[in-house]
Amino acid sequence: MEIVVVGRHTEVADRFRRHAEDKLAKIEQLAPSAQRVDVEVTHENNPRQSGIRERVELTVRDKGPVVRAEAAADDRFGALDLAMNKLTERLRRANDRRKNRFRHPAPMDTADVRPYEPPLPPVTPEPTSPSDPGETVETQLGDSPVVIRQKLHTAEAMSIDDALYEMEMVGHDFFLFIDSETARPSVAYRRRGWTYGVIALDTSCSLEAAALAAAAASSD
C-alpha cells in the first residue's frame, strides 16, 4: 500500500512523514485491498484560527468507494490522530456494509439499462478549468480575495442508497451522482438529524432547446 504525504501552503517535515506512515500502516487491517492513502496537510495562517491552524485530510483509494476523513487542531500531529479515528470508524462501517450485502445480496436487475454517458468536453476548454478526472484547479476572481477551487470527477450511475453511503464514507454534507433509476444528474445532501434530501436535474428541457437550435441552424 502506497502512502503519499503532501503539503498545501506548507512544508512537511520528515518526522511527520514517518509518523504518518507508521499510523497509516494499520489501515491494511481494515482495508487489505487498499492501493494508496493520500495525506494532505494544510496550514492556516490566520491567527484568529490558531486552534485549528493545522488540517489533515486522509483519503483511502480502494477498489470500492473512496473513503475520506479530515480534522483540524492546533498541531498537525493532533489533527492526524483525530482524522485517523474518523477514518477507522468509516472503514469499519464500510466492512460491515460489505458483509451484510454478501449475506443478503440484492436481486439482479436484468432490465436493459443503458449506462450513463457523460457529455463530450468542449472543443476549446477554458484553461482555468480541470480537464482530467481528479485534477484540481484554483482560480482567483480578478483582484478580489475570492479563490475558487474546481475538481473534475467521473460520473457513475447508482441508487440513492448507494449515494448516501458514499457521502457518509467521504464525510461530506453533499454528494453528486447519476440516479440509476432516472438517469438524471442528482445531488444528495444532509439535513437535520438523520434526514437527507435529494435534488435532481431535468435535462429534457436543455436537450429540447439544443434540438431546436440545431434544427434552426440547418434551415438557414
Side-chain angles (χ1 to χ4, degrees):
M1 181 181 69
E2 182 182 9
I3 299 176
V4 179
V5 183
V6 298
R8 293 186 67 244
H9 314 301
T10 185
E11 295 292 333
V12 180
D14 292 338
R15 175 169 170 260
F16 180 82
R17 292 180 185 274
R18 292 192 297 267
H19 179 73
E21 290 173 354
D22 291 341
K23 290 188 70 70
L24 293 172
K26 303 175 183 178
I27 288 180
E28 287 187 303
Q29 300 175 4
L30 296 172
S33 60
Q35 301 173 352
R36 169 172 166 167
V37 181
D38 292 328
V39 183
E40 184 176 282
V41 182
T42 305
H43 176 73
E44 174 59 56
N45 292 318
N46 189 345
R48 295 182 179 179
Q49 298 183 354
S50 59
I52 54 172
R53 62 184 178 183
E54 299 291 339
R55 179 175 298 274
V56 174
E57 180 179 296
L58 306 177
T59 304
V60 178
R61 306 192 182 277
D62 205 337
K63 295 180 180 179
V66 172
V67 182
R68 181 179 292 113
E70 64 177 296
D74 57 351
D75 70 273
R76 58 190 58 181
F77 289 90
L80 175 64
D81 290 340
L82 293 174
M84 185 66 180
N85 291 337
K86 294 181 181 180
L87 185 67
T88 302
E89 177 61 26
R90 288 169 186 168
L91 287 173
R92 288 199 180 103
R93 290 167 57 187
N95 286 337
D96 292 341
R97 182 183 176 91
R98 281 193 290 266
K99 292 177 182 178
N100 291 334
R101 285 196 167 186
F102 178 77
R103 295 171 184 169
H104 308 285
M108 182 178 297
D109 186 4
T110 57
D112 183 16
V113 180
R114 296 183 60 187
Y116 172 76
E117 297 180 359
L120 294 176
V123 178
T124 55
E126 294 290 338
T128 57
S129 300
S131 57
D132 297 323
E135 178 185 0
T136 301
V137 174
E138 289 188 356
T139 56
Q140 187 170 1
L141 292 181
D143 297 330
S144 71
V146 178
V147 176
I148 299 177
R149 188 182 187 189
Q150 303 179 66
K151 192 169 185 178
L152 183 64
H153 293 269
T154 56
E156 294 185 9
M158 64 181 66
S159 66
I160 294 178
D161 178 64
D162 288 337
L164 295 177
Y165 166 69
E166 296 214 18
M167 181 179 71
E168 292 291 345
M169 288 297 99
V170 297
H172 289 175
D173 293 327
F174 67 92
F175 187 80
L176 293 169
F177 67 102
I178 303 299
D179 193 323
S180 58
E181 293 186 4
T182 64
R184 290 175 176 171
S186 305
V187 58
Y189 62 95
R190 191 191 312 276
R191 302 183 67 195
R192 296 178 181 177
W194 290 98
T195 60
Y196 300 88
V198 177
I199 298 176
L201 293 180
D202 184 2
T203 59
S204 59
C205 296
S206 59
L207 294 176
E208 291 176 1
L212 292 174
S218 61
S219 63
D220 291 342

